[in-house]
Every structure is written in structure tokens, then in C-alpha cells.
Amino acid sequence: MHPSWKRAEWSFVGVLLANLASLAVIWWSDWQVHALLIVYWLEAGVVGGVYVQKISRAEGTDDPESIRAFWNIAGEPPRSYIGKPKGDILGALLEQYVVIWLLLGLFVAGPLVGALEIEPASPLTVVLIAVSLVVSHIYSYWAEYLGNREYERRGPVSLLVEPAARFVALFGVVFIGGLTAHLTQEPLGVVVVLIFFKTCADLFQHRRERKRVLRTHEH
């Protein structure tokens, strides 16, 4: 197996282990649902920061046929950004996601606790879970994007459309977790549902990104 794909497989394992580590921390801290939701929100912010770095580092050329998205980015079709300066592309990324991320953070940090009558998050629990998940993203960036020199083949606009799937997954996880908490009032059940759907979303997105990189190798 080529060393670059070995790194990708290790990254896949890292995603799985990071999510299992979050389960272990939640078990240790008496199933704090609120802590898990806050960490997932923080993780989405880290993912956004990683993509800012990826776009800034990208040296490849975008293929218009590979830019597929079902929504506009900052009010414009994604393909319209091909050929624009990286500053404009980064501005579109921030405009598209930062406000939504901040508004969701306000909801997760405050009203959600009262609406679901759940225990407020322990700062220590949030930090412990966040470390395991953030490290996995940093490793993926270092081992795959830099280590495999993917930045030489990836175009900035193809990277611009990728975070959308993660934000949709975040909304889905928060919605499912909140609904489950409201219906069951059982922290254990809510945590299991949250981590299961979050892990599936992460692994699916990881494989999807690997396939996209494979297409750049073929071209």
C-alpha cells in the first residue's frame, strides 16, 4: 500500500478513536449531554479554521465539473468563485458559516439547557472531549493535507464547498440529540444516539473527502 494511503487509513482510525474517546469521557463524567453538544459545536469551529488553512495553502487548479453543491455560497454559485483571489474565497467561507455557527453556539450554550432540563456542562468534561476531537483534525491536516502534499492538487473552490456537509451534520446531531433528550429524559440514551450519529457522519465525510482526493490523483 502506498505510504500516503497508509496515512489516510490511520486518519480514518483516528476519527473513530477520537469519537470513542469522547464516549469514555462522557461515561466518566456521568453522561453529561450538554458537554457533548458544546464540544460538537466547538469542533465545527475548529473544522472551519482547518478549512481556512487548507484554502490558504491550496496550490491546485479547480475543475468546474468537480464543483458540486446544492446551495449557494454567500449568495453566489460555488463555480463563480473559480479564478477569484483566495481572499474573496476565504471571505465567502467566513460569511457563509460564522454567523450560523455563532447563533447555534448561543442556542447550545443557554436556551437548550433550560428547554431540555439537562445538567449544565462541566468545563473539565468539555476540555477533555474537545482535546481528543481537535487532535484528530490536526493530525488529519498534518498527515494527509500536508504529508501527502494534497495542497498541490486541491483547488481552493473545491475546498470551499466541503464544510457545508459538516455543518448540516452538526445541525442534525443537535436536533436529534435535543429531540431524544426531550422524549426520553435518559442521559445514557441521548449520549449513545449523539455519538452514534456523529461518528457515522464523521466517517462518511472522511471517506467522501478521500474519494475526492483520489479523483485529483487520477487527473
Side-chain angles (χ1 to χ4, degrees):
M1 182 181 293
H2 193 278
S4 65
W5 297 114
K6 285 185 178 180
R7 293 193 191 102
E9 291 305 318
W10 276 113
S11 179
F12 183 88
V13 172
V15 171
L16 183 59
L17 291 178
N19 281 280
L20 291 177
S22 66
L23 176 60
V25 174
I26 286 293
W27 167 78
W28 174 77
S29 60
D30 296 326
W31 310 107
Q32 290 188 24
V33 177
H34 189 221
L36 196 60
L37 290 173
I38 287 179
V39 169
Y40 287 168
W41 172 74
L42 290 173
E43 185 186 7
V46 171
V47 169
V50 169
Y51 272 94
V52 168
Q53 290 298 317
K54 285 186 174 183
I55 291 172
S56 299
R57 193 73 172 84
E59 299 177 359
T61 302
D62 287 299
D63 176 11
E65 297 302 320
S66 68
I67 308 300
R68 299 185 180 92
F70 297 102
W71 41 71
N72 291 337
I73 304 293
E76 296 186 41
R79 291 183 183 182
S80 68
Y81 288 95
I82 295 177
K84 289 187 177 182
K86 285 183 181 178
D88 292 351
I89 297 172
L90 289 171
L93 176 69
L94 296 176
E95 181 182 343
Q96 181 75 9
Y97 300 116
V98 168
V99 173
I100 298 174
W101 181 72
L102 290 175
L103 289 175
L104 184 60
L106 291 175
F107 173 71
V108 169
L112 187 67
V113 178
L116 301 179
E117 299 180 352
I118 56 179
E119 178 185 357
S122 161
L124 177 60
T125 303
V126 171
V127 170
L128 290 176
I129 303 173
V131 166
S132 66
L133 294 175
V134 170
V135 165
S136 72
H137 289 293
I138 294 175
Y139 175 79
S140 177
Y141 174 77
W142 171 78
E144 297 172 3
Y145 195 71
L146 297 181
N148 293 349
R149 306 182 71 87
E150 291 178 7
Y151 61 87
E152 296 179 346
R153 300 179 296 275
R154 298 301 306 276
V157 181
S158 68
L159 293 165
L160 174 64
V161 301
E162 284 187 0
R166 292 189 179 273
F167 273 81
V168 170
L170 171 66
F171 277 103
V173 166
V174 172
F175 174 78
I176 292 171
L179 180 62
T180 306
H182 178 71
L183 293 176
T184 66
Q185 297 297 317
E186 291 290 338
L188 173 59
V190 177
V191 167
V192 170
V193 169
L194 281 172
I195 292 180
F196 174 77
F197 280 100
K198 167 66 165 46
T199 303
C200 289
D202 282 352
L203 295 178
F204 173 79
Q205 183 65 13
H206 184 276
R207 284 302 189 192
R208 186 182 181 191
E209 290 173 4
R210 292 301 92 211
K211 288 180 179 178
R212 188 176 286 115
V213 171
L214 180 60
R215 286 197 294 269
T216 66
H217 277 280
E218 293 173 346
H219 293 291

